[in-house]
Amino acid sequence: MTIHPPLPPPSDAEPPAEASSRVTPMMEQYLEIKAANPGLLLFYRMGDFYELFFEDAEIASCALGIVLTKRGKHQGMDIPMCGVPVERSEDYLHRLIAQGHRVAVCEQTEDPAAARARGAKSVVRRDVVRLVTPGTLTEDTLLDAKANNYLLAIARARGSSGADRLGLAWIDISTSEFIVTECSTPELAATLSRINPNEVIVTDALLGDGDLGPILRESPAVTPLTRDVFDSFTAERRLCDYFAVATMDGLSAMSRLEATAAAAAVTYIDRTQVGKRPPLSPPSREAAGTTMAIDPATRANLELTRTLSGERRGSLLDAIDCTVTPAGSRLLAQRLSAPLTDSGAIARRLDAVAALVADAGLREDIRQTLRAAPDMSRALARLSLGRGGPRDLAGLRDGILAADRALAQLAAMEQASQEISAVMEALRRPSREISREFERALAEQLPLIKRDGGFVREVYEPALDEARSLRDASRLVVASMQARYADDTGIKGLKIRHNNVLGYFVEVTAQHGEKLMAPPLNATFIHRQTLAGQVRFTTSELGEIEARIANAGDRALGLELEIFERLCSLAVAAQDDLRAAAHAFAILDVASALAKLAVDDNYVRPEVDGSLAFAVEGGRHPVVEQALKRDGAPFIANACDLSPPQAGEGRVGAGQIWLLTGPNMAGKSTFLRQNALIALMAQTGSFVPASRARIGVVDRLFSRVGAADDLARGRSTFMVEMVETAVILNQASERSLVILDEIGRGTATFDGLSIAWAAIEHLHEANRCRALFATHYHELTALSSKLPRLFNATVRVKEWQGDVVFLHEVLPGSADRSYGIQVARLAGLPAPVIARANSVLAKLEAQDRGQTARALADDLPLFAVPSRAAVEPATRSEAEKLLEAVKALHPDEMSPREALEALYALKAKLAK
């Protein structure tokens, strides 16, 4: 995690007079620009290089592995310097951003000739044109094509009783997405893990908060900003100004706190883009409870988008991602990170997948069309910011053409689903005149950078064709002149060459140089430069031709750039329609990809409703199954039913808890995870790896699987386990799905058994959720006689000649052994250790702990849910209420008006 110093507001401050008197004009300019951008590495444009000086050079040299040199002196000390070529600057920017640095890009804003015209010592004008930060990237070379690049702003509103609320706004300027929501302080960690922002902006006070600071510091990059950026009183005005609307009525309805976060985000974008405002979609408000809540530990344990080692390969996303476009891959990742809780919306997604499952020909035709569809949203963002090239224009053209092909293919459907119909409507929106104009204007072969020219098709613009003809004819004249000079001088090896320093020049070998410098040829050939093996000359005729070529070339390039800007204007004017079509392509890609996955891997459509059902038949783990398939091995499918029992079998309305026992390596953890993933995939809108599945909507998914410590926070493995278990027991509701593996194994046997025992009772009586609980504490199976919704299940194994054979089948019943010693033998423990372990085990088993557990189950009363009266605090005195109100105040975060209102509120309490 990198914490950046705050970005300064724009400043016109002059450098100190005493400093300017000791530096050159160029270095004076550099120091002034650097002072206005503290905390950022300054890429200072000098010709074909971006140069870095002083500490920036030392940092960049180390980070990029480039040579550190020096240039002149400052206050008697050598000035460290390093540089990177402009044409390769994006590669270096990518490496710096990846290492947590931010960069201010300073360009030359006038032609050097104009500076020379002002005087010999005049410095070319330069200014910062962009601040490159992790959350404000747009270039393909700096972005992951398959992942969103979010900037997240967080604003806080203090609650009177400590119940603070947080407003969140996240933006991907490369795709124009803009979303806002609110959450409570305890929900922040889960929300951050879902959004996965590349950069977070907050106030200094929020970063320094004892509770929120540690959570924020886990983000890749955090940028604290001054309080005025998060000023709630000016938030609406700043938003209206950005979107050029008169009132907030023209934007999505949002709370004041959400508007504050949204305004902070657009203000930061304004500062980093230095006047170039990327076109953003109007803020979309995400209502609370519309997505499945998944805490960070659960996301990590289930390896949804990244494995525990941080790699995409091996994750659930990697296993199910059959998309063929970058936008489709990003949308699938979004859906997987935020499964829906509205069964109607889930059904609409499943309808689209089902339609493409049923029609193999249409599915393959659509996927073939999508392969030709470029990433329109990111191309549009680059063009809007002046960072696009001719290939981005071609991408928009090809996208519209692909939309026509997709519409023709989808029109063959007998009855399109609601989601497919919406896709077709969006694909019709872009004007086809844009693609026709781009087709007429753009050449077949396009350069990457517009400054290279040559991207406008011949006959598109007569004036351009004329300028090109003059430029090309002049070059033929140069070739003819070279042949004539060679004949006149008798030097067959004479060449006319060109470089950016000398322009056009005549070059001969050193042995012929003296001939051209002697009469009578010296009257025609004027000496320019002598090198080790060549001598270079010019002529007055060559100078005239060079001027004609330069003028013709400059005019041709100027005309092409004018055409480019005109075409960009067409695209930006239609940005809403183009963006809608781009999103439609992503939706279509996800639906067709999930359909292909369902057909290839034999997935079924789940039934998702508002009940508390959870019934899976023939369930499989999607990632493990694919890994076994590659090795030619089958996956053993298993059923799981956590649905509420029928009337007369306990408290009707609450789901069941399965207590799973069995040996190590038998597949208990895989069974737990696969059922959690099936529920998650179903609510994502995907078919699931099962022969049948009915899922009642899950509001929260909890997973406590695996063992890991957190040394940075001073937490042992057992402490991490208990913290995660506490979150589950405190937050799980009747609609939640909980998977717990080996609770209590990190401490003494009886301590761990006691904790696991109490946890099961709490899940059964207080949380009343659907749960899978795997354990090696076989004593816990005795609880099934007391807890009516507790169901014992075990993983089947066989012993063969002293070894254990894992059958991976989950059946009703309970295990009486864990076969740990057999697994230890498989792992390669020495034979004497295995023998000694067997003898110790025999003595311990003679104590019959199982009988003791059954006695405990009979003797101990069931877990009692505390009554509301028992947990309500005693009535507080007026003095205590007043003291609590004072403690809740945070003067450093209050505006004068807020402080005055708080003072009046305290006075009112005192009067009582």
Side-chain angles (χ1 to χ4, degrees):
M1 193 268 322
T2 304
I3 299 178
H4 298 295
L7 287 181
S11 172
D12 296 324
E14 294 294 327
E18 61 270 22
S20 64
S21 63
R22 295 194 296 269
V23 296
T24 64
M26 188 277 290
M27 190 54 64
E28 178 183 356
Q29 182 191 62
Y30 171 86
L31 292 173
E32 179 182 355
I33 296 172
K34 176 63 181 174
N37 296 276
L40 292 93
L41 301 179
L42 182 60
F43 270 31
Y44 183 80
R45 179 74 177 266
M46 295 181 69
D48 293 334
F49 279 78
Y50 287 119
E51 304 289 1
L52 298 96
F53 300 99
F54 299 105
E55 185 182 4
D56 285 3
E58 295 172 347
I59 293 172
S61 172
C62 181
L64 300 174
I66 57 179
V67 176
L68 181 68
T69 182
K70 57 186 178 181
R71 178 191 176 108
K73 292 183 179 292
H74 177 64
Q75 296 181 349
M77 303 289 289
D78 289 334
I79 300 175
M81 182 188 82
C82 68
V84 300
V86 171
E87 62 182 15
R88 293 184 55 203
S89 60
E90 288 188 2
D91 295 335
Y92 291 105
L93 278 174
H94 183 274
R95 291 162 61 185
L96 289 171
I97 295 298
Q99 294 180 51
H101 299 289
R102 296 183 304 165
V103 179
V105 180
C106 178
E107 293 284 0
Q108 297 175 176
T109 57
E110 70 171 347
D111 190 277
R116 289 193 294 270
R118 295 198 308 271
K121 295 186 177 181
S122 295
V123 179
V124 176
R125 291 193 180 98
R126 295 178 176 86
D127 206 352
V128 171
V129 297
R130 180 187 176 195
L131 306 180
V132 185
T133 73
T136 58
L137 306 176
T138 56
E139 292 83 353
D140 271 345
T141 53
L142 305 181
L143 293 168
D144 180 353
K146 293 187 174 183
N148 281 101
N149 194 78
Y150 286 126
L151 168 72
L152 172 67
I154 305 176
R156 175 170 63 179
R158 289 289 191 178
S160 58
S161 58
D164 296 348
R165 296 292 297 173
L166 300 171
L168 288 80
W170 59 101
I171 297 173
D172 184 346
I173 68 171
S174 72
T175 62
S176 303
E177 296 171 55
F178 193 173
I179 308 170
V180 299
T181 193
E182 272 193 39
C183 72
S184 62
T185 300
E187 295 170 331
L188 179 61
T191 307
L192 280 175
S193 66
R194 171 169 66 88
I195 300 170
N196 191 27
N198 295 76
E199 183 177 8
V200 180
I201 57 172
V202 294
T203 60
D204 289 307
L206 201 60
L207 186 59
D209 185 273
D211 295 326
L212 298 178
I215 297 174
L216 293 171
R217 281 189 280 272
E218 290 182 0
S219 300
V222 182
T223 304
L225 300 176
T226 53
R227 193 172 178 275
D228 63 292
V229 177
F230 291 86
D231 184 8
S232 61
F233 294 103
T234 62
E236 291 190 1
R237 176 180 57 77
R238 285 180 283 153
L239 283 172
C240 290
D241 177 59
Y242 192 95
F243 287 98
V245 295
T247 67
M248 290 289 287
D249 295 338
L251 302 175
S252 305
M254 65 182 89
S255 68
R256 182 173 181 177
L257 187 56
E258 291 166 341
T260 301
V266 298
T267 299
Y268 185 73
I269 287 173
D270 252 350
R271 290 186 181 180
T272 57
Q273 304 310 301
V274 193
K276 292 182 179 179
R277 290 186 169 178
L280 301 176
S281 301
S284 171
R285 187 171 190 272
E286 185 182 276
T290 55
T291 60
M292 181 192 292
I294 310 172
D295 62 60
T298 300
R299 288 183 188 278
N301 289 335
L302 296 180
E303 299 181 309
L304 299 185
T305 57
R306 290 284 186 273
T307 62
L308 292 174
S309 61
E311 297 179 358
R312 190 180 193 270
R313 183 177 177 81
S315 67
L316 174 63
L317 176 61
D318 180 62
I320 70 172
D321 188 359
C322 299
T323 58
V324 294
T325 69
S329 186
R330 294 195 298 268
L331 181 60
L332 180 61
Q334 290 174 22
R335 290 185 173 185
L336 202 60
S337 296
L340 300 177
T341 55
D342 180 354
S343 58
I346 295 168
R348 288 191 288 275
R349 290 183 180 179
L350 290 170
D351 288 342
V353 177
L356 293 169
V357 166
D359 193 333
L362 174 62
R363 181 177 67 250
E364 291 309 311
D365 288 345
I366 287 293
R367 287 173 60 79
Q368 190 63 35
T369 296
L370 289 170
R371 287 187 178 93
D375 199 342
M376 295 172 65
S377 56
R378 285 190 166 172
L380 184 60
R382 288 190 293 272
L383 292 169
S384 301
L385 288 167
R387 297 175 195 146
R391 295 181 189 178
D392 290 317
L393 291 175
L396 298 182
R397 175 200 64 197
D398 295 343
I400 297 174
L401 295 175
D404 286 336
R405 291 193 297 273
L407 283 169
Q409 292 160 350
L410 293 172
M413 298 180 71
E414 292 184 5
Q415 185 173 359
S417 67
Q418 188 172 342
E419 186 171 85
I420 296 295
S421 296
V423 164
M424 295 174 70
E425 185 61 33
L427 293 178
R428 294 188 187 101
R429 288 181 56 178
S431 169
R432 271 45 185 176
E433 183 56 37
I434 294 176
S435 63
R436 286 191 287 269
E437 184 66 17
F438 287 8
E439 181 67 24
R440 287 193 296 268
L442 298 175
E444 294 296 329
Q445 300 296 322
L446 298 173
L448 180 64
I449 303 170
K450 61 185 178 183
R451 296 290 308 178
D452 290 343
F455 55 84
V456 176
R457 191 186 296 271
E458 291 182 8
V459 310
Y460 176 75
E461 183 75 38
L464 174 60
D465 291 342
E466 182 182 344
R468 283 173 170 173
S469 297
L470 180 59
R471 178 198 63 194
D472 297 340
S474 298
R475 289 172 179 169
L476 291 175
V477 171
V478 169
S480 174
M481 185 184 299
Q482 175 179 299
R484 178 161 48 85
Y485 283 169
D487 289 340
D488 292 347
T489 60
I491 304 172
K492 294 183 180 180
L494 181 147
K495 302 292 183 184
I496 296 180
R497 302 188 186 278
H498 179 274
N499 65 30
N500 291 331
V501 177
L502 298 180
Y504 283 94
F505 54 86
V506 175
E507 183 177 272
V508 296
T509 59
Q511 63 180 352
H512 293 119
E514 292 295 331
K515 182 177 181 180
L516 295 187
M517 287 187 281
L521 294 178
N522 65 347
T524 302
F525 296 93
I526 304 166
H527 178 257
R528 292 289 305 275
Q529 190 178 44
T530 299
L531 302 178
Q534 294 86 28
V535 184
R536 293 170 174 174
F537 299 85
T538 187
T539 69
S540 56
E541 182 185 16
L542 184 59
E544 292 173 3
I545 293 295
E546 180 176 9
R548 286 169 52 194
I549 292 175
N551 290 337
D554 289 345
R555 175 166 168 72
L557 180 59
L559 288 170
E560 282 203 81
L561 294 178
E562 288 179 12
I563 293 169
F564 182 85
E565 293 304 323
R566 190 164 72 236
L567 297 177
C568 282
S569 298
L570 289 176
V572 172
Q575 60 182 307
D576 292 341
D577 295 336
L578 292 170
R579 196 181 298 128
H583 186 58
F585 274 132
I587 293 173
L588 192 58
D589 190 15
V590 169
S592 60
L594 292 177
K596 173 179 169 55
L597 176 72
V599 172
D600 291 350
D601 289 359
N602 195 28
Y603 287 9
V604 299
R605 175 172 181 162
E607 303 172 48
V608 183
D609 54 35
S611 69
L612 292 177
F614 189 97
V616 175
E617 297 176 10
R620 301 160 346 247
H621 192 295
V623 182
V624 176
E625 182 183 34
Q626 287 189 12
L628 290 175
K629 186 186 294 185
R630 286 193 293 270
D631 295 335
F635 185 95
I636 306 302
N638 283 292
C640 178
D641 191 349
L642 305 179
S643 305
Q646 300 299 318
E649 297 184 25
R651 299 171 65 177
V652 177
Q656 294 192 76
I657 301 173
W658 273 28
L659 184 65
L660 185 64
T661 53
N664 292 300
M665 297 291 294
K668 298 193 303 297
S669 294
T670 298
F671 179 73
L672 265 60
R673 287 185 170 101
Q674 78 184 33
N675 285 287
L677 295 180
I678 286 171
L680 185 143
M681 290 174 66
Q683 291 183 219
T684 294
S686 169
F687 281 31
V688 297
S691 58
R692 181 181 174 276
R694 182 187 176 199
I695 308 294
V697 169
V698 174
D699 67 343
R700 290 171 176 266
L701 179 61
F702 295 99
S703 168
R704 160 86 279 282
V705 179
D709 55 28
D710 189 353
L711 298 180
R713 294 190 184 183
R715 294 176 177 174
S716 66
T717 302
F718 181 66
M719 185 61 179
V720 170
E721 176 186 322
M722 289 298 99
V723 168
E724 293 177 1
T725 305
V727 169
I728 294 171
L729 297 180
N730 287 323
Q731 296 183 10
S733 71
E734 195 174 59
R735 281 208 163 276
S736 301
L737 176 63
V738 173
I739 63 171
L740 290 164
D741 191 15
E742 306 297 348
I743 294 300
R745 297 297 290 180
T747 186
T749 301
F750 287 111
D751 285 359
L753 174 59
S754 302
I755 292 169
W757 188 301
I760 290 177
E761 290 184 338
H762 192 281
L763 289 169
H764 189 279
E765 297 298 314
N767 302 112
R768 305 182 71 231
C769 58
R770 295 162 286 184
L772 290 165
F773 195 111
T775 185
H776 284 289
Y777 292 129
H778 303 139
E779 298 87 345
L780 296 175
T781 59
L783 281 171
S784 62
S785 64
K786 292 290 185 179
L787 304 177
R789 289 181 292 102
L790 184 67
F791 178 82
N792 288 330
T794 186
V795 185
R796 187 178 168 214
V797 296
K798 274 190 176 182
E799 286 190 82
W800 177 257
Q801 297 180 349
D803 289 329
V804 61
V805 179
F806 303 115
L807 301 178
H808 305 296
E809 295 180 19
V810 178
L811 302 170
S814 58
D816 58 356
R817 299 179 60 189
S818 287
Y819 299 94
I821 295 177
Q822 285 86 343
V823 174
R825 181 187 290 115
L826 292 175
L829 264 67
V833 174
I834 297 298
R836 176 58 178 163
N838 276 316
S839 64
V840 172
L841 177 63
K843 292 182 179 180
L844 291 175
E845 286 181 334
Q847 299 176 9
D848 193 10
R849 265 174 41 199
Q851 183 63 38
T852 304
R854 287 189 289 275
L856 276 174
D858 291 334
D859 294 343
L860 287 177
L862 287 179
F863 182 91
V865 181
S867 66
R868 183 173 297 276
V871 297
E872 285 183 352
T875 304
R876 295 170 297 169
S877 66
E878 294 299 327
E880 288 174 329
K881 292 179 180 178
L882 183 63
L883 182 61
E884 190 171 297
V886 172
K887 288 181 178 178
L889 296 178
H890 298 271
D892 292 338
E893 300 180 24
M894 300 170 72
S895 66
R897 181 175 176 178
E898 289 171 337
L900 185 61
E901 290 174 351
L903 186 59
Y904 279 123
L906 290 174
K907 187 175 180 180
K909 289 180 181 291
L910 189 61
K912 295 179 181 178

